[in-house]
Amino acid sequence: MSVTGNKVQQAISFAVAGLATGSMPFPLERDPVRDEALRKLAAVAGDRGWSIAVLRDVAGPDADLLFPGGPVEMVETWSDVCDRDMVSAMLETDEPRLSQRVKQAILLRLPTDTAMRMGARTGFGVLASPCARGALRRSLLRTVNAIWQAAQDDSSGVTYVTKRMTLSMVYGATLLYWVSRGRDEAALAAFVERRLADVLRLGKVKARLSRSAHTPRAAETSASAT
C-alpha cells in the first residue's frame, strides 16, 4: 500500500478510536442542487480528486459557490449523501433480525463499486488532512448513527450510546477492509458477518460473567437472611 494509503488507514483508525468520546456533530446543509453536484464529482473523484477545479469542470463554473468550505466540506457532505442513500434503501427491508438489518445497512453504505471505493479513498485523504479539523470523525459518527437509524433500532439512554460505540468498532474495521480489499461483495459480506458475530459472542460472555459475579452475592444474602 502507498504512503498515502497508510496515512488514510491511520487516520481512520484514530478517528474510530475517538468516537467513544464524541457527541453527535451538527447537521449539515442538505440541498438537492448540492447533492447532484457531488454525485457528478464523486463519479470521477477516484481518478481526479476532490478539488474545486474538478467540481467546476463536472458540475458547472459556479459550482464552487455551493461549497464555501472547499474540498473538506465537499467530502463531508458527500458522506452525508451516502448515509441518506443508505437509509432510504433500507426502508424496504423486511428482515426481522436486527443484526441482519445492521449488516444490510453496512453493505449498502459500502458498495463494492470501484468508482465509489476509489472516490472514498481519495476523500478520506482530504478529511485526514490537518485543515479538516475533525471532519473524518464527524463523518464516521454520522454514519454509525445512520446505520442504526436504517436498521430501525429504537434504543435510548445508555443502550443508545453503547450500541453506537460497539458499532463504531465494527464499522471502522469494515471500512478499512473495504478501502483496501473491498472489491469482492461476498468476501465483504463475510467480513461484516464475522465482525458482528464477534460482537454477539462478546456480549454473551459479558452477560455470563455478570450473572456469575452476582450469583454468589445473592446466595450469601439469602443465607444470612436465614
Side-chain angles (χ1 to χ4, degrees), residues 28-32 35 38-39 77-89 109 146:
L28 295 171
E29 177 186 347
R30 293 175 174 178
D31 178 80
D35 291 356
L38 288 175
R39 292 186 193 282
T77 305
W78 173 241
S79 177
D80 183 64
V81 171
C82 294
D83 291 344
R84 285 183 275 136
D85 286 347
M86 177 263 296
V87 171
S88 179
R109 183 59 180 80

Side-chain angles (χ1 to χ4, degrees), residues 6 13 16 29 43 57 70 96 108 131 139 160 192 198-199 217 221 223:
N6 287 331
S13 298
V16 169
E29 177 186 347
D57 186 42
L108 284 169
C131 64
S139 295
Y160 175 95
V192 175
D198 289 343
V199 169
R217 184 176 299 176
T221 302

Side-chain angles (χ1 to χ4, degrees), residues 130-143:
C131 64
R133 298 181 179 179
L136 179 56
R137 181 170 163 275
R138 291 194 301 270
S139 295
L140 293 177
L141 274 168
R142 292 190 189 96
T143 297

